[in-house]
C-alpha cells in the first residue's frame, strides 16, 4: 500500500511538473516559429547565420516538447488520469495520417513503403488520437532503426479484432533486449541502438494506450533481419472497464 501511494505521488508530481514546463516551452516555440517563418515582421531580414541558429533552436525545442508530452502521457496513465475519448474510427484513415508524418523521413532515407489494408476493414471503437499516436510511434521506430530495405504496414481482420503490424528490415533486437523493449527509457544495451536517438518512451506509451483499450501489443525480432511489432484492438466496445496496465517498478 505504501509503495502504491508513493507511486501515485510520484506520478502526480511528474504530471504537474511536465504541464508547467510545457506552457513556457510552447511560448518559446511560438516566438521562434514566427522569427523563422516571418522574419519580415521585425522590419528587416535576419542575417543568414541567425536564421540557421534559430532553426537549431526550433528543432531542439520541438524535441524537448515531444519528450515532455511523452512523460506527461505516461504519468497520466500511471496516475489514472488519462481519459479515453472513444468513437467509431477508421484505422485506414488514421494510418494514412501517420504515414504522412513519417513520409519525408522515409524518402530521405530511401526506404520503400508497403501498405496492406483489406477493403473490408471494420471500424474500431477507440480513442482516435491515442491509436494514431501508437501507429506513429511504431512507424517512427521502424524508420529510425532501418537504414536500407523497406517498412511495411499491414492490417489483418480477425473475428472480433483488428491486428496492425509494422515490419522493418532494420538491425533487429537481440534476444536479451526483447523482454525489456516495452520498459520505460529502454534503448537496448548495445551502442548501435543507443546511437539512434529517441527517448525510449514511445513503445512504453504505446503499450499503455493499447492495453487501456483492452488490446495487446507484442513483437518479433531477429538480429540482422528486422523487427515486426504487432498490436491487436477489439472492434467492439467492452462492457467492463479495461484492466489498467501494470506499473513498472524500478
Amino acid at each position: 500500500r505504501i509503495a502504491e501511494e508513493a507511486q501515485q505521488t510520484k506520478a502526480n508530481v511528474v504530471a504537474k511538473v511536465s504541464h508547467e514546463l510545457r506552457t513556457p516551452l510552447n511560448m518559446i516555440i511560438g516566438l521562434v516559429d514566427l522569427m523563422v517563418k516571418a522574419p519580415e515582421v521585425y522590419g528587416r531580414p535576419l542575417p543568414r547565420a541567425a536564421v540557421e541558429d534559430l532553426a537549431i533552436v526550433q528543432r531542439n525545442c520541438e524535441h524537448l516538447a515531444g519528450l515532455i508530452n511523452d512523460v506527461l502521457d505516461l504519468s497520466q496513465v500511471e496516475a489514472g488520469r488519462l481519459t479515453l475519448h472513444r468513437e467509431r474510427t477508421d484505422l485506414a484513415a488514421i494510418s494514412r495520417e501517420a504515414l504522412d508524418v513519417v513520409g519525408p523521413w522515409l524518402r530521405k532515407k530511401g526506404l520503400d513503403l508497403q501498405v496492406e489494408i483489406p477493403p473490408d476493414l471494420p471500424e474500431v471503437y477507440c480513442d482516435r488520437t491515442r491509436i494514431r499516436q501508437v501507429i506513429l510511434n511504431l512507424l517512427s521506430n521502424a524508420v529510425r532503426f532501418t537504414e536500407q530495405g523497406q517498412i511495411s504496414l499491414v492490417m489483418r481482420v480477425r473475428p472480433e479484432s483488428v491486428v496492425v503490424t509494422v515490419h522493418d528490415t532494420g538491425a533487429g533486437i537481440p534476444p536479451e533486449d526483447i523482454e525489456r523493449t516495452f520498459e520505460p527509457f529502454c534503448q537496448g544495451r548495445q551502442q548501435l541502438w543507443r546511437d539512434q536517438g529517441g527517448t525510449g518512451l514511445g513503445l512504453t506509451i504505446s503499450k499503455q494506450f493499447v492495453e487501456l483499450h483492452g488490446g495487446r501489443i507484442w513483437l518479433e525480432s531477429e538480429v540482422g533481419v528486422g523487427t515486426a511489432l504487432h498490436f491487436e484492438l477489439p472492434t467492439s466496445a467492452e462492457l467492463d472497464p479495461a484492466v489498467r496496465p501494470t506499473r513498472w517498478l524500478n
Side-chain angles (χ1 to χ4, degrees), residues 182-215:
F182 293 103
E183 294 181 11
F185 302 105
C186 176
Q187 293 179 307
R189 295 183 176 90
Q190 298 189 21
Q191 191 64 33
L192 172 63
W193 285 266
R194 295 177 180 274
D195 289 342
Q196 299 300 321
T199 63
L201 286 175
L203 291 182
T204 304
I205 294 171
S206 297
K207 183 176 188 294
Q208 306 276 36
F209 287 167
V210 169
E211 290 183 351
L212 282 174
H213 282 83

PDB file of all heavy atoms in Angstrom, residues 182-215:
ATOM      1  N   PHE A 182       9.591  -2.908 -23.894  1.00  0.00           N
ATOM      2  CA  PHE A 182       8.454  -2.071 -23.536  1.00  0.00           C
ATOM      3  C   PHE A 182       8.628  -1.372 -22.191  1.00  0.00           C
ATOM      4  O   PHE A 182       7.714  -0.703 -21.721  1.00  0.00           O
ATOM      5  CB  PHE A 182       7.169  -2.900 -23.521  1.00  0.00           C
ATOM      6  CG  PHE A 182       6.770  -3.393 -24.886  1.00  0.00           C
ATOM      7  CD1 PHE A 182       7.001  -4.710 -25.256  1.00  0.00           C
ATOM      8  CD2 PHE A 182       6.177  -2.538 -25.800  1.00  0.00           C
ATOM      9  CE1 PHE A 182       6.639  -5.166 -26.516  1.00  0.00           C
ATOM     10  CE2 PHE A 182       5.810  -2.983 -27.065  1.00  0.00           C
ATOM     11  CZ  PHE A 182       6.046  -4.302 -27.417  1.00  0.00           C
ATOM     12  N   GLU A 183       9.793  -1.521 -21.558  1.00  0.00           N
ATOM     13  CA  GLU A 183      10.039  -0.828 -20.306  1.00  0.00           C
ATOM     14  C   GLU A 183      10.378   0.640 -20.572  1.00  0.00           C
ATOM     15  O   GLU A 183      10.942   0.974 -21.609  1.00  0.00           O
ATOM     16  CB  GLU A 183      11.191  -1.489 -19.544  1.00  0.00           C
ATOM     17  CG  GLU A 183      10.893  -2.906 -19.076  1.00  0.00           C
ATOM     18  CD  GLU A 183      12.055  -3.504 -18.305  1.00  0.00           C
ATOM     19  OE1 GLU A 183      12.980  -2.738 -17.961  1.00  0.00           O
ATOM     20  OE2 GLU A 183      12.040  -4.716 -18.053  1.00  0.00           O
ATOM     21  N   PRO A 184      10.041   1.540 -19.629  1.00  0.00           N
ATOM     22  CA  PRO A 184      10.340   2.957 -19.835  1.00  0.00           C
ATOM     23  C   PRO A 184      11.836   3.209 -20.012  1.00  0.00           C
ATOM     24  O   PRO A 184      12.664   2.611 -19.327  1.00  0.00           O
ATOM     25  CB  PRO A 184       9.833   3.625 -18.545  1.00  0.00           C
ATOM     26  CG  PRO A 184       8.837   2.660 -17.992  1.00  0.00           C
ATOM     27  CD  PRO A 184       9.326   1.297 -18.373  1.00  0.00           C
ATOM     28  N   PHE A 185      12.174   4.069 -20.960  1.00  0.00           N
ATOM     29  CA  PHE A 185      13.534   4.538 -21.232  1.00  0.00           C
ATOM     30  C   PHE A 185      14.463   3.431 -21.708  1.00  0.00           C
ATOM     31  O   PHE A 185      15.672   3.604 -21.705  1.00  0.00           O
ATOM     32  CB  PHE A 185      14.145   5.223 -19.997  1.00  0.00           C
ATOM     33  CG  PHE A 185      13.343   6.375 -19.498  1.00  0.00           C
ATOM     34  CD1 PHE A 185      12.570   6.257 -18.345  1.00  0.00           C
ATOM     35  CD2 PHE A 185      13.335   7.574 -20.175  1.00  0.00           C
ATOM     36  CE1 PHE A 185      11.817   7.317 -17.884  1.00  0.00           C
ATOM     37  CE2 PHE A 185      12.587   8.648 -19.728  1.00  0.00           C
ATOM     38  CZ  PHE A 185      11.821   8.524 -18.570  1.00  0.00           C
ATOM     39  N   CYS A 186      13.893   2.291 -22.132  1.00  0.00           N
ATOM     40  CA  CYS A 186      14.736   1.204 -22.641  1.00  0.00           C
ATOM     41  C   CYS A 186      15.183   1.535 -24.055  1.00  0.00           C
ATOM     42  O   CYS A 186      14.366   1.785 -24.939  1.00  0.00           O
ATOM     43  CB  CYS A 186      13.962  -0.116 -22.627  1.00  0.00           C
ATOM     44  SG  CYS A 186      14.892  -1.490 -23.350  1.00  0.00           S
ATOM     45  N   GLN A 187      16.497   1.529 -24.274  1.00  0.00           N
ATOM     46  CA  GLN A 187      17.045   1.778 -25.602  1.00  0.00           C
ATOM     47  C   GLN A 187      18.023   0.683 -26.028  1.00  0.00           C
ATOM     48  O   GLN A 187      18.779   0.845 -26.964  1.00  0.00           O
ATOM     49  CB  GLN A 187      17.743   3.140 -25.642  1.00  0.00           C
ATOM     50  CG  GLN A 187      16.777   4.312 -25.493  1.00  0.00           C
ATOM     51  CD  GLN A 187      17.483   5.631 -25.513  1.00  0.00           C
ATOM     52  OE1 GLN A 187      18.426   5.857 -24.752  1.00  0.00           O
ATOM     53  NE2 GLN A 187      17.050   6.514 -26.372  1.00  0.00           N
ATOM     54  N   GLY A 188      18.027  -0.421 -25.313  1.00  0.00           N
ATOM     55  CA  GLY A 188      18.923  -1.517 -25.668  1.00  0.00           C
ATOM     56  C   GLY A 188      20.298  -1.342 -25.046  1.00  0.00           C
ATOM     57  O   GLY A 188      20.748  -0.245 -24.743  1.00  0.00           O
ATOM     58  N   ARG A 189      20.982  -2.468 -24.855  1.00  0.00           N
ATOM     59  CA  ARG A 189      22.294  -2.429 -24.223  1.00  0.00           C
ATOM     60  C   ARG A 189      23.399  -2.089 -25.214  1.00  0.00           C
ATOM     61  O   ARG A 189      24.443  -1.577 -24.840  1.00  0.00           O
ATOM     62  CB  ARG A 189      22.597  -3.793 -23.579  1.00  0.00           C
ATOM     63  CG  ARG A 189      21.672  -4.153 -22.417  1.00  0.00           C
ATOM     64  CD  ARG A 189      22.085  -5.478 -21.799  1.00  0.00           C
ATOM     65  NE  ARG A 189      21.291  -5.824 -20.639  1.00  0.00           N
ATOM     66  CZ  ARG A 189      20.175  -6.528 -20.687  1.00  0.00           C
ATOM     67  NH1 ARG A 189      19.715  -6.951 -21.856  1.00  0.00           N
ATOM     68  NH2 ARG A 189      19.501  -6.812 -19.593  1.00  0.00           N
ATOM     69  N   GLN A 190      23.194  -2.384 -26.500  1.00  0.00           N
ATOM     70  CA  GLN A 190      24.258  -2.197 -27.468  1.00  0.00           C
ATOM     71  C   GLN A 190      24.287  -0.759 -27.982  1.00  0.00           C
ATOM     72  O   GLN A 190      23.260  -0.098 -28.110  1.00  0.00           O
ATOM     73  CB  GLN A 190      24.074  -3.169 -28.643  1.00  0.00           C
ATOM     74  CG  GLN A 190      24.160  -4.633 -28.212  1.00  0.00           C
ATOM     75  CD  GLN A 190      24.191  -5.560 -29.405  1.00  0.00           C
ATOM     76  OE1 GLN A 190      24.532  -5.152 -30.497  1.00  0.00           O
ATOM     77  NE2 GLN A 190      23.844  -6.821 -29.181  1.00  0.00           N
ATOM     78  N   GLN A 191      25.483  -0.288 -28.301  1.00  0.00           N
ATOM     79  CA  GLN A 191      25.667   1.096 -28.727  1.00  0.00           C
ATOM     80  C   GLN A 191      24.894   1.416 -29.996  1.00  0.00           C
ATOM     81  O   GLN A 191      24.422   2.531 -30.193  1.00  0.00           O
ATOM     82  CB  GLN A 191      27.161   1.378 -28.956  1.00  0.00           C
ATOM     83  CG  GLN A 191      27.496   2.849 -29.142  1.00  0.00           C
ATOM     84  CD  GLN A 191      27.196   3.664 -27.896  1.00  0.00           C
ATOM     85  OE1 GLN A 191      27.318   3.168 -26.786  1.00  0.00           O
ATOM     86  NE2 GLN A 191      26.776   4.905 -28.085  1.00  0.00           N
ATOM     87  N   LEU A 192      24.720   0.411 -30.887  1.00  0.00           N
ATOM     88  CA  LEU A 192      24.017   0.625 -32.136  1.00  0.00           C
ATOM     89  C   LEU A 192      22.632   1.201 -31.904  1.00  0.00           C
ATOM     90  O   LEU A 192      22.192   2.125 -32.578  1.00  0.00           O
ATOM     91  CB  LEU A 192      23.916  -0.699 -32.906  1.00  0.00           C
ATOM     92  CG  LEU A 192      23.043  -0.698 -34.171  1.00  0.00           C
ATOM     93  CD1 LEU A 192      23.614   0.261 -35.199  1.00  0.00           C
ATOM     94  CD2 LEU A 192      22.908  -2.104 -34.736  1.00  0.00           C
ATOM     95  N   TRP A 193      21.907   0.675 -30.911  1.00  0.00           N
ATOM     96  CA  TRP A 193      20.544   1.135 -30.646  1.00  0.00           C
ATOM     97  C   TRP A 193      20.557   2.464 -29.901  1.00  0.00           C
ATOM     98  O   TRP A 193      19.671   3.281 -30.078  1.00  0.00           O
ATOM     99  CB  TRP A 193      19.794   0.068 -29.855  1.00  0.00           C
ATOM    100  CG  TRP A 193      19.423  -1.080 -30.734  1.00  0.00           C
ATOM    101  CD1 TRP A 193      18.237  -1.258 -31.388  1.00  0.00           C
ATOM    102  CD2 TRP A 193      20.243  -2.188 -31.113  1.00  0.00           C
ATOM    103  NE1 TRP A 193      18.271  -2.406 -32.136  1.00  0.00           N
ATOM    104  CE2 TRP A 193      19.480  -3.010 -31.991  1.00  0.00           C
ATOM    105  CE3 TRP A 193      21.540  -2.586 -30.798  1.00  0.00           C
ATOM    106  CZ2 TRP A 193      19.974  -4.182 -32.538  1.00  0.00           C
ATOM    107  CZ3 TRP A 193      22.028  -3.745 -31.355  1.00  0.00           C
ATOM    108  CH2 TRP A 193      21.253  -4.533 -32.210  1.00  0.00           C
ATOM    109  N   ARG A 194      21.553   2.708 -29.081  1.00  0.00           N
ATOM    110  CA  ARG A 194      21.621   3.959 -28.339  1.00  0.00           C
ATOM    111  C   ARG A 194      21.955   5.134 -29.254  1.00  0.00           C
ATOM    112  O   ARG A 194      21.590   6.271 -28.986  1.00  0.00           O
ATOM    113  CB  ARG A 194      22.659   3.860 -27.213  1.00  0.00           C
ATOM    114  CG  ARG A 194      22.270   2.845 -26.141  1.00  0.00           C
ATOM    115  CD  ARG A 194      23.348   2.726 -25.071  1.00  0.00           C
ATOM    116  NE  ARG A 194      22.972   1.763 -24.055  1.00  0.00           N
ATOM    117  CZ  ARG A 194      22.230   2.029 -22.993  1.00  0.00           C
ATOM    118  NH1 ARG A 194      21.771   3.246 -22.824  1.00  0.00           N
ATOM    119  NH2 ARG A 194      21.932   1.101 -22.110  1.00  0.00           N
ATOM    120  N   ASP A 195      22.677   4.867 -30.345  1.00  0.00           N
ATOM    121  CA  ASP A 195      23.084   5.939 -31.247  1.00  0.00           C
ATOM    122  C   ASP A 195      21.933   6.484 -32.074  1.00  0.00           C
ATOM    123  O   ASP A 195      22.086   7.508 -32.734  1.00  0.00           O
ATOM    124  CB  ASP A 195      24.190   5.444 -32.191  1.00  0.00           C
ATOM    125  CG  ASP A 195      25.515   5.226 -31.469  1.00  0.00           C
ATOM    126  OD1 ASP A 195      25.661   5.763 -30.352  1.00  0.00           O
ATOM    127  OD2 ASP A 195      26.387   4.511 -32.011  1.00  0.00           O
ATOM    128  N   GLN A 196      20.780   5.823 -32.074  1.00  0.00           N
ATOM    129  CA  GLN A 196      19.692   6.228 -32.949  1.00  0.00           C
ATOM    130  C   GLN A 196      18.811   7.312 -32.346  1.00  0.00           C
ATOM    131  O   GLN A 196      17.862   7.765 -32.971  1.00  0.00           O
ATOM    132  CB  GLN A 196      18.821   5.012 -33.307  1.00  0.00           C
ATOM    133  CG  GLN A 196      19.577   3.931 -34.044  1.00  0.00           C
ATOM    134  CD  GLN A 196      20.166   4.421 -35.351  1.00  0.00           C
ATOM    135  OE1 GLN A 196      19.552   5.185 -36.070  1.00  0.00           O
ATOM    136  NE2 GLN A 196      21.383   3.982 -35.656  1.00  0.00           N
ATOM    137  N   GLY A 197      19.102   7.745 -31.138  1.00  0.00           N
ATOM    138  CA  GLY A 197      18.311   8.801 -30.530  1.00  0.00           C
ATOM    139  C   GLY A 197      17.001   8.267 -29.978  1.00  0.00           C
ATOM    140  O   GLY A 197      16.798   7.071 -29.813  1.00  0.00           O
ATOM    141  N   GLY A 198      16.062   9.187 -29.735  1.00  0.00           N
ATOM    142  CA  GLY A 198      14.799   8.790 -29.141  1.00  0.00           C
ATOM    143  C   GLY A 198      14.881   8.808 -27.630  1.00  0.00           C
ATOM    144  O   GLY A 198      15.953   8.858 -27.039  1.00  0.00           O
ATOM    145  N   THR A 199      13.710   8.755 -26.989  1.00  0.00           N
ATOM    146  CA  THR A 199      13.660   8.850 -25.535  1.00  0.00           C
ATOM    147  C   THR A 199      13.503   7.497 -24.854  1.00  0.00           C
ATOM    148  O   THR A 199      13.694   7.395 -23.650  1.00  0.00           O
ATOM    149  CB  THR A 199      12.463   9.725 -25.115  1.00  0.00           C
ATOM    150  OG1 THR A 199      11.247   9.085 -25.555  1.00  0.00           O
ATOM    151  CG2 THR A 199      12.557  11.105 -25.744  1.00  0.00           C
ATOM    152  N   GLY A 200      13.134   6.465 -25.624  1.00  0.00           N
ATOM    153  CA  GLY A 200      12.888   5.171 -25.012  1.00  0.00           C
ATOM    154  C   GLY A 200      11.520   5.084 -24.354  1.00  0.00           C
ATOM    155  O   GLY A 200      11.260   4.173 -23.572  1.00  0.00           O
ATOM    156  N   LEU A 201      10.609   6.042 -24.663  1.00  0.00           N
ATOM    157  CA  LEU A 201       9.271   6.040 -24.070  1.00  0.00           C
ATOM    158  C   LEU A 201       8.177   5.671 -25.064  1.00  0.00           C
ATOM    159  O   LEU A 201       7.066   5.350 -24.668  1.00  0.00           O
ATOM    160  CB  LEU A 201       8.955   7.426 -23.477  1.00  0.00           C
ATOM    161  CG  LEU A 201       9.653   7.788 -22.172  1.00  0.00           C
ATOM    162  CD1 LEU A 201       9.325   9.224 -21.788  1.00  0.00           C
ATOM    163  CD2 LEU A 201       9.249   6.848 -21.052  1.00  0.00           C
ATOM    164  N   GLY A 202       8.475   5.734 -26.353  1.00  0.00           N
ATOM    165  CA  GLY A 202       7.440   5.528 -27.361  1.00  0.00           C
ATOM    166  C   GLY A 202       6.728   4.196 -27.250  1.00  0.00           C
ATOM    167  O   GLY A 202       5.493   4.136 -27.261  1.00  0.00           O
ATOM    168  N   LEU A 203       7.485   3.101 -27.109  1.00  0.00           N
ATOM    169  CA  LEU A 203       6.860   1.780 -27.028  1.00  0.00           C
ATOM    170  C   LEU A 203       6.157   1.584 -25.691  1.00  0.00           C
ATOM    171  O   LEU A 203       5.131   0.891 -25.618  1.00  0.00           O
ATOM    172  CB  LEU A 203       7.900   0.687 -27.256  1.00  0.00           C
ATOM    173  CG  LEU A 203       8.458   0.580 -28.679  1.00  0.00           C
ATOM    174  CD1 LEU A 203       9.438  -0.585 -28.781  1.00  0.00           C
ATOM    175  CD2 LEU A 203       7.341   0.407 -29.693  1.00  0.00           C
ATOM    176  N   THR A 204       6.708   2.167 -24.625  1.00  0.00           N
ATOM    177  CA  THR A 204       6.054   2.065 -23.319  1.00  0.00           C
ATOM    178  C   THR A 204       4.678   2.712 -23.362  1.00  0.00           C
ATOM    179  O   THR A 204       3.673   2.135 -22.917  1.00  0.00           O
ATOM    180  CB  THR A 204       6.905   2.749 -22.237  1.00  0.00           C
ATOM    181  OG1 THR A 204       8.212   2.195 -22.232  1.00  0.00           O
ATOM    182  CG2 THR A 204       6.275   2.573 -20.865  1.00  0.00           C
ATOM    183  N   ILE A 205       4.617   3.918 -23.916  1.00  0.00           N
ATOM    184  CA  ILE A 205       3.345   4.630 -24.014  1.00  0.00           C
ATOM    185  C   ILE A 205       2.392   3.889 -24.941  1.00  0.00           C
ATOM    186  O   ILE A 205       1.187   3.781 -24.662  1.00  0.00           O
ATOM    187  CB  ILE A 205       3.590   6.070 -24.495  1.00  0.00           C
ATOM    188  CG1 ILE A 205       4.368   6.851 -23.431  1.00  0.00           C
ATOM    189  CG2 ILE A 205       2.279   6.770 -24.815  1.00  0.00           C
ATOM    190  CD1 ILE A 205       4.847   8.204 -23.892  1.00  0.00           C
ATOM    191  N   SER A 206       2.909   3.370 -26.036  1.00  0.00           N
ATOM    192  CA  SER A 206       2.065   2.615 -26.965  1.00  0.00           C
ATOM    193  C   SER A 206       1.437   1.412 -26.266  1.00  0.00           C
ATOM    194  O   SER A 206       0.245   1.120 -26.448  1.00  0.00           O
ATOM    195  CB  SER A 206       2.903   2.150 -28.166  1.00  0.00           C
ATOM    196  OG  SER A 206       3.397   3.255 -28.893  1.00  0.00           O
ATOM    197  N   LYS A 207       2.226   0.706 -25.463  1.00  0.00           N
ATOM    198  CA  LYS A 207       1.714  -0.454 -24.725  1.00  0.00           C
ATOM    199  C   LYS A 207       0.601  -0.036 -23.759  1.00  0.00           C
ATOM    200  O   LYS A 207      -0.433  -0.694 -23.661  1.00  0.00           O
ATOM    201  CB  LYS A 207       2.851  -1.129 -23.966  1.00  0.00           C
ATOM    202  CG  LYS A 207       2.460  -2.406 -23.220  1.00  0.00           C
ATOM    203  CD  LYS A 207       3.682  -3.049 -22.585  1.00  0.00           C
ATOM    204  CE  LYS A 207       3.350  -4.422 -21.996  1.00  0.00           C
ATOM    205  NZ  LYS A 207       2.412  -4.339 -20.862  1.00  0.00           N
ATOM    206  N   GLN A 208       0.821   1.080 -23.070  1.00  0.00           N
ATOM    207  CA  GLN A 208      -0.190   1.565 -22.134  1.00  0.00           C
ATOM    208  C   GLN A 208      -1.487   1.896 -22.861  1.00  0.00           C
ATOM    209  O   GLN A 208      -2.583   1.526 -22.421  1.00  0.00           O
ATOM    210  CB  GLN A 208       0.333   2.821 -21.410  1.00  0.00           C
ATOM    211  CG  GLN A 208       1.676   2.665 -20.724  1.00  0.00           C
ATOM    212  CD  GLN A 208       1.570   2.056 -19.334  1.00  0.00           C
ATOM    213  OE1 GLN A 208       0.737   1.184 -19.113  1.00  0.00           O
ATOM    214  NE2 GLN A 208       2.398   2.504 -18.420  1.00  0.00           N
ATOM    215  N   PHE A 209      -1.397   2.607 -23.985  1.00  0.00           N
ATOM    216  CA  PHE A 209      -2.582   3.006 -24.732  1.00  0.00           C
ATOM    217  C   PHE A 209      -3.347   1.792 -25.255  1.00  0.00           C
ATOM    218  O   PHE A 209      -4.575   1.736 -25.170  1.00  0.00           O
ATOM    219  CB  PHE A 209      -2.200   3.912 -25.907  1.00  0.00           C
ATOM    220  CG  PHE A 209      -1.801   5.308 -25.499  1.00  0.00           C
ATOM    221  CD1 PHE A 209      -1.172   6.156 -26.403  1.00  0.00           C
ATOM    222  CD2 PHE A 209      -2.045   5.781 -24.229  1.00  0.00           C
ATOM    223  CE1 PHE A 209      -0.811   7.441 -26.044  1.00  0.00           C
ATOM    224  CE2 PHE A 209      -1.674   7.066 -23.849  1.00  0.00           C
ATOM    225  CZ  PHE A 209      -1.050   7.898 -24.762  1.00  0.00           C
ATOM    226  N   VAL A 210      -2.609   0.824 -25.805  1.00  0.00           N
ATOM    227  CA  VAL A 210      -3.260  -0.357 -26.363  1.00  0.00           C
ATOM    228  C   VAL A 210      -3.958  -1.152 -25.264  1.00  0.00           C
ATOM    229  O   VAL A 210      -5.100  -1.599 -25.418  1.00  0.00           O
ATOM    230  CB  VAL A 210      -2.234  -1.245 -27.106  1.00  0.00           C
ATOM    231  CG1 VAL A 210      -2.844  -2.602 -27.456  1.00  0.00           C
ATOM    232  CG2 VAL A 210      -1.762  -0.553 -28.378  1.00  0.00           C
ATOM    233  N   GLU A 211      -3.306  -1.314 -24.129  1.00  0.00           N
ATOM    234  CA  GLU A 211      -3.900  -2.091 -23.039  1.00  0.00           C
ATOM    235  C   GLU A 211      -5.089  -1.370 -22.418  1.00  0.00           C
ATOM    236  O   GLU A 211      -6.038  -2.017 -21.949  1.00  0.00           O
ATOM    237  CB  GLU A 211      -2.833  -2.398 -21.988  1.00  0.00           C
ATOM    238  CG  GLU A 211      -1.796  -3.404 -22.494  1.00  0.00           C
ATOM    239  CD  GLU A 211      -0.762  -3.770 -21.442  1.00  0.00           C
ATOM    240  OE1 GLU A 211      -0.750  -3.121 -20.374  1.00  0.00           O
ATOM    241  OE2 GLU A 211       0.033  -4.690 -21.691  1.00  0.00           O
ATOM    242  N   LEU A 212      -5.080  -0.042 -22.407  1.00  0.00           N
ATOM    243  CA  LEU A 212      -6.242   0.695 -21.914  1.00  0.00           C
ATOM    244  C   LEU A 212      -7.460   0.470 -22.808  1.00  0.00           C
ATOM    245  O   LEU A 212      -8.601   0.627 -22.366  1.00  0.00           O
ATOM    246  CB  LEU A 212      -5.924   2.191 -21.842  1.00  0.00           C
ATOM    247  CG  LEU A 212      -5.075   2.653 -20.648  1.00  0.00           C
ATOM    248  CD1 LEU A 212      -4.717   4.127 -20.793  1.00  0.00           C
ATOM    249  CD2 LEU A 212      -5.801   2.410 -19.329  1.00  0.00           C
ATOM    250  N   HIS A 213      -7.216   0.100 -24.063  1.00  0.00           N
ATOM    251  CA  HIS A 213      -8.309  -0.205 -24.980  1.00  0.00           C
ATOM    252  C   HIS A 213      -8.720  -1.675 -24.907  1.00  0.00           C
ATOM    253  O   HIS A 213      -9.557  -2.124 -25.703  1.00  0.00           O
ATOM    254  CB  HIS A 213      -7.891   0.126 -26.422  1.00  0.00           C
ATOM    255  CG  HIS A 213      -7.938   1.584 -26.752  1.00  0.00           C
ATOM    256  ND1 HIS A 213      -6.921   2.465 -26.442  1.00  0.00           N
ATOM    257  CD2 HIS A 213      -8.899   2.337 -27.360  1.00  0.00           C
ATOM    258  CE1 HIS A 213      -7.240   3.679 -26.858  1.00  0.00           C
ATOM    259  NE2 HIS A 213      -8.429   3.632 -27.412  1.00  0.00           N
ATOM    260  N   GLY A 214      -8.116  -2.421 -24.007  1.00  0.00           N
ATOM    261  CA  GLY A 214      -8.427  -3.840 -23.910  1.00  0.00           C
ATOM    262  C   GLY A 214      -7.710  -4.682 -24.943  1.00  0.00           C
ATOM    263  O   GLY A 214      -8.094  -5.829 -25.200  1.00  0.00           O
ATOM    264  N   GLY A 215      -6.654  -4.125 -25.537  1.00  0.00           N
ATOM    265  CA  GLY A 215      -5.902  -4.852 -26.554  1.00  0.00           C
ATOM    266  C   GLY A 215      -4.582  -5.367 -26.015  1.00  0.00           C
ATOM    267  O   GLY A 215      -4.327  -5.355 -24.816  1.00  0.00           O
TER     268      GLY A 215
END
